[in-house]
Amino acid sequence: MNYPVWYIPAVGGPVVIALMAIVHVMVSHFAVGGGLWLVLTEKRARRLQQPFMLEYVKKHTLFFMLLTMVFGAITGVGIWFTISLVGPDATSFLIHFFVFAWAIEWIFFAIEIITAFLYYYTFDKISAKLHQLIGWIYFFAAWASLFIINAILSFMLSPGKWLENQTFWPAIFNPTFLSSSIFRTFLCFALAGSYALLTASRKFKGQEKEDLVRYNGKWILLSLLGMVPSLVWYYFSIPSSLLKGLPAKSILMKNSLIFLVTSIILFTVLVFLLTRWKAHKLRFSAAIGILAVIFIFFASFEFMRESARKPYIIGNYMYPNGMRVEQIKKIKDQPILDKAKWVHVREISGQNSLQAGEDMFRIQCYACHSLGFKNNFLPTLKKWNLKRISTMLGRLPGITPQMPPFIGSEQEKGALAQWLFAKSHAGQSPEQQKPVVSELSGASIFDNFCIDCHDSSDEIGDKLATIPSLQEMVTLIEKLDSLSEDMPPFEGTDREKQALAQYLLKVSRKK
Amino acid sequence: MNEVTSLIPIPDSLPVAALWLQILSLLTYFLHLVSTGITFGAAAQAIVAHHKGKQNPGWQEVAGTHNRILPFAIAFTINSGVAPLLFLQTLYGNFFYTSAIIMAIPLMTLLLFLMTSYYLAYWVVLKKRGSGKWKAGISLVVILSFTVVAFILVNINSLMLVPKNWKIYFSSMGGWNLNLNDPTLIPRYTLYLFLFLVIGGAFSAIFFSKNKKENSGLGFHFGANLAGYFSFVTAPAFTLFLLVLPEAIRDQLFNTSRLWGALIICFIILIILTGWFYLRRRVYLAGSLLVVSLILFVFIRDHIRFLHLQPFKDHFSPLAAQTQYGVMSLFFILLLLGVGLIIWLLIKVKKEYQSSTQQ
């Protein structure tokens, strides 16, 4: 509410960040691991006196330079632009607090550029010793960049003691810093080997190709030996408060976990089989396949890291919509439209409540929810009536721990609910809404009212096994909101209540 | 709270006194200005040289040299642009982010232009064959892309100075805006383009004066002429820019503080002298004058920005309760070590390279 919002509801800001970030991290991590790969492979080629391998390093250096220095550098700037546009409050905070960390990173970035140029353009023109020294300096500078960026990223997940003292070094050496640094370092190496397979499979043939493919296969498998344990360590270094809710946070989160585990297993198997067995036949398309699998692994990892952080953008300090935890404590139930800077409506009246609702959506929900491509909640809301939307808003985060609380007055909540209702019901008024459950079956009523929070009737059936009679079940449904703070009251008709009670009684007796 | 100031976001606090960040901003912006000028100038000269190469093959060699400079120049332009943008966001982030969000689409498009021109610059170098006409065409695309990038950045940087114009946000919240109604926009933009050409020409003149190749003279004279003539054009462009500034700012520049008025006059005289000496081929003297002119320009530009934002000084970032002077010292130490390392490395590489070519 402090900054204007780059409002593209059909796409959603987070999608733009995700697209830019995914392509950038794949290249920026390669920029680090590739540095070590180049210098060690060059050393090996010279030690074994293998001219084809030296030629390979030279060819790969050009590819490396074109990918990391052009695409990597520009998408790096692109990420900075994108986060500034989508999350200006968080970006501003991170820029101000870590300004000298970014400035130090800039020094390393400059060293990276100069040494990368020197490494490529002085190949075979200076002594091997000096050439490799340039390679080592490049690698150190690139790794130092990773060290700093990772410190800031891990701070966002786990600010640790910074929350108590707000000083610089505890923010850098936060609880997940070390494990994530080690994990990312090994990931960089694995990526470097995977990219190197592209050049090996495309530019070489026969025995030379076999040697290079085997060499890179060994390189990747050794990287995995460090990467997998450090990933496990990283997982357990995440604060227990975040870890507790991790797999349950959302279905997407569970899917990402499945992708993460499957892709790393598949990657290991593919690399092992394709680089140890018939290595001389490795096709370029197979090398692309290997790279694609590690991309999926990496994307799943980044998605899980981002999701684990929710509902915060900076752990326990700031929400994705830019509101700070402390600020929310002060203004929780007060009107916010009069405090927000970039809204059309400051005071709600009969005529402007829909506009006010959209303003509320923009400043509170849009940071994570779009009305189209990603995290679109309109299909869910389509099944809800106005009262239910309003009730759920008031109960946030409730059963969805990844959501921040709703901030604003009752009137503002009503305006937001009204706007969401209008959006999800294509302009229909609440009075015109037809009953969403056309068929009076217990299962469809369960699907309509309960399924958003309760995975299945089986799960809930276990819990209800002790309810002795239909009447007791009806009574329970009538006082749902008194069972837990997170439960909304049942908002169906009496007939629907009866049908649901019968259904629940039936599923509870199945066990 | 008036309507304009009510839109200005609340700033975050600074980890060190604003003066330090100001100094770093000026220093790094100077580097960025120079590298942008070299990039722009190299692209512009490559087009002309390719075109002239049809009649005289010597020009093809000059064009090839400019093409080879371009990827390095772009890399340093991007790198040197990061630091001033960082310090700008620290000092005036609440103004900058707002302006950037209002023009989100042009800002994102900028990346496409930048990436296209960067890859094309490499492509021209790596592609051994290809006619001069064709390479001139590619170089034209490169320079047009840079021209668009510069236009977008000038839009964002000018809108951040005028909060009363921020209301255009409400007409397009999706970021399809530009600051076209600002009377300072075009004079500011053309001033930059001219200044880039002066810097680009000056760099070429120095570069080719040290180059022993047969056709270096062509590049040398062309660079010196470019720097010379565009220095003359820069003086009136700068004056026009001053004339279109809001009256209150002009008044503060020339009446309230005589110092800034004097510096402005110095800049105009120096840039004319720079042109004069370039045309007389005294490139080292002209180059030194240009450096002083650019330093003055960087200071004047920063002061004009400050004057624009001064009415909103209540919205400037305050100093944080927990300062970070220790981390800033570490930054300076690493900066010195980094510069020292690179200089050492370049000397060592040069020595080995020279001895290997002599053998």
Side-chain angles (χ1 to χ4, degrees):
Chain A
M1 67 180 190
N2 195 23
Y3 283 93
V5 173
W6 178 26
Y7 194 48
I8 38 170
V11 182
V15 171
V16 187
I17 291 189
L19 288 175
M20 188 69 78
I22 291 292
V23 291
H24 175 69
V25 293
M26 300 301 178
V27 176
S28 61
H29 283 65
F30 169 48
V32 180
L36 186 71
W37 185 95
L38 287 174
V39 75
L40 288 184
T41 312
E42 182 194 343
K43 203 173 174 183
R44 186 175 188 266
R46 291 190 193 278
R47 183 167 47 83
L48 300 175
Q49 294 184 329
Q50 288 180 324
F52 78 92
M53 195 170 228
L54 209 55
E55 187 56 29
Y56 171 49
V57 176
K58 203 173 169 182
K59 280 179 178 160
H60 195 65
T61 307
L62 178 63
F63 166 72
F64 176 81
M65 204 169 71
L66 290 176
L67 189 61
T68 61
M69 285 184 47
V70 183
F71 192 80
I74 293 177
T75 51
V77 175
I79 286 212
W80 192 12
F81 284 178
T82 317
I83 60 169
S84 306
L85 299 176
V86 177
D89 290 277
T91 309
S92 172
F93 168 77
L94 293 171
I95 288 289
H96 282 81
F97 186 75
F98 289 108
V99 60
F100 289 107
W102 297 113
I104 291 170
E105 200 271 336
W106 169 69
I107 299 171
F108 289 120
F109 178 33
I111 296 175
E112 266 182 76
I113 290 176
I114 295 167
T115 48
F117 276 135
L118 284 176
Y119 190 81
Y120 176 69
Y121 285 102
T122 61
F123 225 107
D124 296 333
K125 288 177 185 145
I126 56 171
S127 69
K129 195 177 159 193
L130 182 59
H131 192 252
Q132 284 166 39
L133 176 68
I134 294 169
W136 280 113
I137 295 172
Y138 170 85
F139 169 62
F140 174 74
W143 186 80
S145 287
L146 174 80
F147 179 94
I148 295 166
I149 304 287
N150 177 59
I152 297 169
L153 279 178
S154 56
F155 162 81
M156 291 170 76
L157 176 66
S158 55
K161 287 190 177 155
W162 175 85
L163 289 168
E164 294 156 27
N165 56 28
Q166 270 87 53
T167 52
F168 184 80
W169 294 110
I172 292 284
F173 297 106
N174 60 75
T176 56
F177 163 73
L178 189 60
S179 58
S180 60
S181 297
I182 294 173
F183 165 67
R184 283 183 188 274
T185 303
F186 282 108
L187 179 60
C188 291
F189 297 156
L191 270 171
S194 309
Y195 275 105
L197 283 175
L198 292 181
T199 333
S201 62
R202 193 168 181 86
K203 305 268 179 191
F204 293 86
K205 284 192 175 113
Q207 186 60 44
E208 289 180 352
K209 183 174 183 174
E210 183 170 347
D211 287 356
L212 295 175
V213 169
R214 280 179 178 274
Y215 168 74
N216 285 311
K218 204 189 284 180
W219 173 280
I220 297 171
L221 292 170
L222 282 172
S223 307
L224 287 174
L225 285 181
M227 192 178 103
V228 175
S230 57
L231 176 62
V232 176
W233 177 26
Y234 176 55
Y235 181 82
F236 286 107
S237 64
I238 296 173
S240 53
S241 57
L242 293 172
L243 204 57
K244 241 183 255 173
L246 199 60
K249 275 190 171 174
S250 70
I251 294 169
L252 275 175
M253 190 79 167
K254 281 181 190 168
N255 290 342
S256 297
L257 188 62
I258 294 166
F259 270 111
L260 186 88
V261 176
T262 317
S263 57
I264 196 64
I265 294 170
L266 182 64
F267 178 71
T268 312
V269 173
L270 274 179
V271 170
F272 189 81
L273 289 178
L274 295 174
T275 65
R276 314 309 294 167
W277 181 61
K278 291 191 178 175
H280 65 287
K281 283 191 174 171
L282 182 81
R283 285 166 181 258
F284 183 65
S285 54
I288 296 255
I290 290 176
L291 203 57
V293 178
I294 197 167
F295 279 7
I296 294 170
F297 165 77
F298 199 3
S300 312
F301 164 75
E302 293 291 5
F303 183 83
M304 286 193 70
R305 181 185 56 76
E306 291 279 327
S307 304
R309 205 170 56 200
K310 284 180 179 173
Y312 305 105
I313 193 156
I314 298 169
N316 288 305
Y317 177 71
M318 190 187 278
Y319 292 105
N321 55 22
M323 293 194 194
R324 287 164 165 87
V325 175
E326 279 303 311
Q327 183 188 13
I328 284 182
K329 280 181 193 161
K330 286 180 198 155
I331 61 165
K332 179 139 183 8
D333 299 319
Q334 294 172 21
I336 62 158
L337 286 176
D338 61 346
K339 297 177 191 70
K341 290 178 178 292
W342 292 87
V343 290
H344 295 88
V345 177
R346 298 200 174 274
E347 208 170 306
I348 300 175
S349 67
Q351 285 80 38
N352 64 17
S353 66
L354 276 181
Q355 178 69 72
E358 185 172 15
D359 281 342
M360 291 294 287
F361 170 79
R362 226 176 40 245
I363 62 175
Q364 292 219 36
C365 322
Y366 175 71
C368 301
H369 293 281
S370 76
L371 298 179
F373 189 61
K374 187 181 173 272
N375 242 355
N376 177 0
F377 47 26
L378 294 184
T380 304
L381 300 187
K382 203 171 183 179
K383 295 184 282 178
W384 295 7
N385 60 26
L386 181 62
K387 193 177 167 198
R388 187 166 178 206
I389 294 173
S390 182
T391 309
M392 290 303 271
L393 284 174
R395 284 171 180 269
L396 288 174
I399 37 78
T400 45
Q402 66 270 38
M403 293 277 282
F406 171 81
I407 313 298
S409 64
E410 278 301 313
Q411 199 184 15
E412 288 168 342
K413 187 169 68 186
L416 175 58
Q418 217 179 341
W419 184 79
L420 289 172
F421 181 88
K423 271 278 161 193
S424 54
H425 292 75
Q428 201 179 33
S429 73
E431 296 74 31
Q432 289 171 313
Q433 192 190 10
K434 290 175 190 154
V436 280
V437 185
S438 52
E439 184 194 342
L440 198 63
S441 90
S444 59
I445 294 167
F446 182 88
D447 285 350
N448 184 47
F449 289 101
C450 319
I451 200 80
D452 297 321
C453 312
H454 298 285
D455 274 357
S456 66
S457 52
D458 286 351
E459 171 230 313
I460 209 165
D462 287 345
K463 292 179 187 164
L464 299 175
T466 52
I467 308 291
S469 65
L470 180 67
Q471 189 48 47
E472 295 259 350
M473 193 66 87
V474 170
T475 313
L476 184 81
I477 294 171
E478 280 169 351
K479 56 175 188 180
L480 279 183
D481 51 337
S482 65
L483 296 178
S484 140
E485 268 187 25
D486 301 334
M487 287 283 278
F490 180 72
E491 280 158 1
T493 62
D494 283 346
R495 287 181 64 206
E496 285 168 345
K497 198 191 316 170
Q498 283 288 337
L500 179 63
Q502 278 171 0
Y503 172 72
L504 290 176
L505 201 65
K506 197 169 118 193
V507 293
S508 67
R509 296 296 181 267
K510 269 187 187 167
K511 299 279 162 178
Chain B
M1 192 159 55
N2 78 41
E3 220 179 333
V4 174
T5 54
S6 72
L7 290 177
I8 303 172
I10 301 161
D12 284 287
S13 46
L14 301 175
V16 295
L19 183 66
W20 288 103
L21 297 159
Q22 201 95 31
I23 292 167
L24 287 166
S25 165
L26 292 169
L27 187 72
T28 53
Y29 181 72
F30 175 78
L31 297 175
H32 182 57
L33 183 66
V34 172
S35 45
T36 311
I38 294 172
T39 302
F40 203 81
Q45 289 170 89
I47 300 170
V48 180
H50 277 301
H51 183 70
K52 289 189 171 192
K54 283 184 224 163
Q55 275 87 42
N56 178 354
W59 279 104
Q60 283 298 352
E61 196 182 303
V62 173
T65 306
H66 284 300
N67 284 143
R68 280 192 295 279
I69 289 170
L70 215 44
F72 297 100
I74 299 173
F76 291 111
T77 302
I78 294 172
N79 177 263
S80 64
V82 167
L85 187 60
L86 173 69
F87 297 120
L88 169 75
Q89 289 188 14
T90 318
L91 286 164
Y92 305 116
N94 46 341
F95 296 90
F96 176 80
Y97 294 129
T98 306
S99 176
I101 292 165
I102 293 171
M103 289 182 220
I105 299 287
L107 183 66
M108 294 304 286
T109 318
L110 176 156
L111 297 169
L112 288 178
F113 283 106
L114 207 54
M115 182 108 58
T116 309
S117 54
Y118 203 167
Y119 270 120
L120 284 176
Y122 263 110
W123 209 68
V124 171
V125 177
L126 295 172
K127 189 91 180 164
K128 300 275 188 261
R129 290 177 190 173
S131 70
K133 191 178 167 188
W134 187 84
K135 286 189 175 178
I138 297 285
S139 302
L140 185 66
V141 176
V142 171
I143 200 163
L144 285 177
S145 297
F146 286 137
T147 314
V148 174
V149 169
F151 184 67
I152 294 168
L153 288 175
V154 167
N155 266 272
I156 292 172
N157 284 316
S158 58
L159 182 67
M160 70 170 265
L161 305 177
V162 196
K164 74 173 173 19
N165 292 348
W166 290 357
K167 281 189 171 174
I168 54 168
Y169 168 75
F170 291 105
S171 61
S172 168
M173 293 191 290
W176 294 94
N177 297 298
L178 281 169
N179 190 30
L180 300 176
N181 292 330
D182 188 331
T184 70
L185 185 80
I186 299 300
R188 189 190 294 264
Y189 178 55
T190 45
L191 169 63
Y192 276 106
L193 294 187
F194 294 157
L195 210 49
F196 292 156
L197 290 170
V198 175
I199 297 166
F203 174 80
S204 299
I206 299 278
F207 182 87
F208 283 106
S209 74
K210 286 181 166 290
N211 200 314
K212 305 276 187 295
K213 284 183 183 168
E214 195 189 331
N215 296 303
S216 295
L218 295 173
F220 169 77
H221 289 295
F222 184 41
N225 281 340
L226 188 73
Y229 290 123
F230 274 96
S231 293
F232 289 142
V233 182
T234 299
F238 182 66
T239 312
L240 177 66
F241 169 62
L242 293 173
L243 288 173
V244 295
L245 283 174
E247 202 180 329
I249 290 175
R250 267 203 325 269
D251 194 48
Q252 288 192 66
L253 282 173
F254 292 102
N255 296 334
T256 314
S257 156
R258 297 275 162 85
L259 173 72
W260 288 102
L263 290 178
I264 286 169
I265 291 165
C266 276
F267 171 77
I268 294 173
I269 294 169
L270 281 174
I271 201 78
I272 293 171
L273 282 176
T274 300
W276 171 256
F277 285 116
Y278 269 119
L279 294 182
R280 295 184 70 89
R281 298 297 183 258
R282 295 184 62 184
V283 290
Y284 287 95
L285 176 60
S288 310
L289 290 175
L290 179 60
V291 169
V292 179
S293 310
L294 292 179
I295 292 171
L296 282 179
F297 177 78
V298 168
F299 274 97
I300 294 165
R301 170 191 174 270
D302 185 71
H303 186 64
I304 291 174
R305 180 168 63 193
F306 174 77
L307 292 177
H308 271 100
L309 295 176
Q310 200 182 25
F312 316 109
K313 64 181 179 208
D314 292 345
H315 298 267
F316 287 179
S317 296
L319 185 63
Q322 299 273 3
T323 53
Q324 294 180 14
Y325 287 101
V327 191
M328 185 178 76
S329 310
L330 179 66
F331 162 73
F332 281 119
I333 292 168
L334 288 170
L335 182 65
L336 288 177
L337 287 175
V339 171
L341 176 75
I342 292 302
I343 292 172
W344 175 79
L345 205 58
L346 288 173
I347 292 170
K348 221 165 154 50
V349 167
K350 192 181 172 192
K351 265 188 196 166
E352 281 206 11
Y353 186 76
Q354 278 173 345
S355 65
S356 76
T357 47
Q358 275 162 13
Q359 281 163 14

